[in-house]
Amino acid sequence: FSWYTNKIRKHNEALQAYNQKLSNEINQRKNAEQQLNEYNKELKRSNKDLEQFAYIASHDLKEPLRMINAYTSMLKKKYSDLFDERAHEFMGYVVDGVGRMEQLINSLLDYSRVSIDGGVENLKLLNVRDIVEVVKGNLRFPITKNSATVNIENADNFPIVKANQVQMMQLLQNLISNALKFKGHRLPVINIGFSTKGDFHTFYVKDNGIGISKDNQEKIFDMLTRLHTKEEYEGTGIGLATVRKIVERHEGRIWVESVEGEGSTFFFTLPKVKSVVKPVMAAAN
C-alpha cells in the first residue's frame, strides 16, 4: 500500500509539473500573440502614415514641377535662337528630366490613392466585361497605333464582382497597356477572359509579347523594379506594384506565367459575390 501510495504521489507531482509547464507555455503564447497583435497594429499605422505622406508629398511636388515645366518651355520658346548646340543639349536634358519626374509623381499618386480611395464604402457591384470595354475605349489610340487585336473571351458570361470601379479600370488599363508596350516585333494579340473555381473568379490578360524570364516573374511586382532601360521601354516601375496593391486590397492575388519570346499571361483573382443585384455600369473617362 505504501509503494502504491508513493507511486500515485509521484504521478500526481509529475502531472502537476506538466500542468504548470503547459500553463506557462499557454501564458507565454498569449503574451506573444498579444505582442504580435500590437506589432501588427503599429505596422498598419506606420504603413498608413507612409502612404499618406507619399500622397501628400507627391501632390505637393506637382505644383513646383508645373512651374519648372512652364518656365522651361517659355525659356526654350523665347530664347532658343540664342542657344548654341551645347545649350540645346542641356535644355533637352532639363525637359526630359521634368517629363520623367512628372510621370514618376503621377505614378506615386496612383499608388498612394489605392489605400486612400480604396475603402469599403467605395465598393460597388460591377460587371468586369463593362470595365474591359471602357478600358478598350480609353486605349483606342495605342490599340489602333499598334494594330493590336483585343479579344474578350466568353464575354456574355463575365461575372459580377464587388470592387472599386476606378481601381478596376486602373488595374486592367495597366495590364493591357503593358501588353501593348512589350509587344516585341509581332502584331499584338491580347486575350482577356476568366474562370471560376470555389469562392474566387480568376481573370487573365494574355499577350504574345516579349515575355518575362522565370527569375524576374516575382520581381516585376516590386516597387520601382524595371527590367529594361528607359531607352528601351518607358515606365516608372510602379505600375505593376500598384496593380498588386489593388488586387490585394480586393482580397485577391496576382501572378504571371510567361515564356521569353512567346508572351505573358497575368492572372488575378477576385472573390465571388454571394448575392447579386443589378451592377453599376462603368462610365468612360
Side-chain angles (χ1 to χ4, degrees):
F1 179 78
S2 177
W3 174 84
Y4 186 72
T5 303
N6 189 47
K7 187 174 182 180
I8 292 176
R9 181 178 58 78
K10 288 182 179 180
H11 177 74
N12 288 337
E13 288 175 354
L15 186 60
Q16 287 176 1
Y18 176 78
N19 287 337
Q20 185 62 45
K21 181 181 178 182
L22 187 61
S23 178
N24 291 338
E25 289 179 355
I26 291 172
N27 289 332
Q28 288 176 359
R29 185 174 298 176
K30 285 181 179 179
N31 291 335
E33 287 178 355
Q34 185 177 0
Q35 193 174 23
L36 184 61
N37 288 334
E38 290 298 323
Y39 285 152
N40 285 334
K41 288 179 183 178
E42 185 61 32
L43 182 61
K44 287 179 181 179
R45 282 195 293 268
S46 298
N47 285 338
K48 189 174 181 180
D49 290 343
L50 185 60
E51 288 162 356
Q52 188 72 24
F53 169 77
Y55 178 80
I56 293 171
S58 302
H59 186 271
D60 290 349
L61 280 172
K62 293 194 76 173
E63 183 54 38
L65 189 64
R66 275 195 292 265
M67 185 178 69
I68 295 170
N69 194 23
Y71 278 99
T72 303
S73 299
M74 289 172 59
L75 188 65
K76 184 178 179 181
K77 184 177 180 180
K78 289 190 175 184
Y79 300 103
S80 61
D81 293 340
L82 303 177
F83 291 169
D84 59 15
E85 185 177 345
R86 197 69 183 271
H88 278 293
E89 182 184 356
F90 291 161
M91 182 60 72
Y93 292 149
V94 173
V95 172
D96 180 63
V98 169
R100 286 189 287 112
M101 176 82 71
E102 186 174 21
Q103 189 180 21
L104 182 59
I105 288 173
N106 288 334
S107 296
L108 283 171
L109 277 171
D110 288 341
Y111 184 83
S112 302
R113 284 192 184 109
V114 174
S115 296
I116 294 170
D117 301 333
V120 176
E121 66 277 4
N122 292 321
L123 302 183
K124 301 175 182 177
L125 292 175
L126 304 169
N127 189 316
V128 180
R129 184 198 63 194
D130 295 338
I131 301 293
V132 175
E133 293 289 359
V134 172
V135 170
K136 282 179 65 179
N138 292 345
L139 297 176
R140 186 178 295 110
F141 176 72
I143 289 173
T144 303
K145 180 182 177 182
N146 290 288
S147 301
T149 302
V150 180
N151 302 313
I152 305 176
E153 300 178 341
N154 198 15
D156 293 337
N157 296 315
F158 255 68
I160 291 166
V161 299
K162 194 170 185 180
N164 181 298
Q165 178 174 317
V166 173
Q167 291 180 9
M168 282 297 105
M169 291 172 61
Q170 189 178 1
L171 162 63
L172 286 162
Q173 192 156 313
N174 204 308
L175 292 178
I176 296 172
S177 294
N178 273 1
L180 294 171
K181 183 195 299 186
F182 300 104
K183 62 185 179 62
H185 300 294
R186 290 176 288 190
L187 294 179
V189 177
I190 303 168
N191 295 316
I192 303 166
F194 76 97
S195 63
T196 301
K197 184 177 180 181
D199 295 328
F200 288 87
H201 303 294
T202 301
F203 300 90
Y204 61 84
V205 177
K206 182 179 181 181
D207 65 59
N208 62 338
I210 62 174
I212 305 163
S213 68
K214 195 165 185 179
D215 293 339
N216 290 318
Q217 289 177 18
E218 288 290 334
K219 297 178 184 177
I220 58 171
F221 296 104
D222 294 338
M223 192 75 160
L224 298 174
T225 297
R226 291 177 54 91
L227 304 183
H228 308 276
T229 65
K230 63 183 179 66
E231 288 77 20
E232 293 175 305
Y233 297 99
E234 294 182 355
T236 60
I238 299 176
L240 287 177
T242 303
V243 164
R244 179 172 66 178
K245 192 172 185 181
I246 290 171
V247 172
E248 289 177 350
R249 284 190 68 83
H250 285 79
E251 299 180 356
R253 67 185 188 95
I254 185 168
W255 69 98
V256 64
E257 295 177 4
S258 181
V259 177
E260 282 189 279
E262 296 184 16
S264 304
T265 305
F266 284 85
F267 298 89
F268 64 93
T269 63
L270 294 175
K272 288 173 65 176
V273 178
K274 294 181 180 179
S275 59
V276 177
V277 294
K278 187 178 180 181
V280 177
M281 296 297 289
N285 285 350

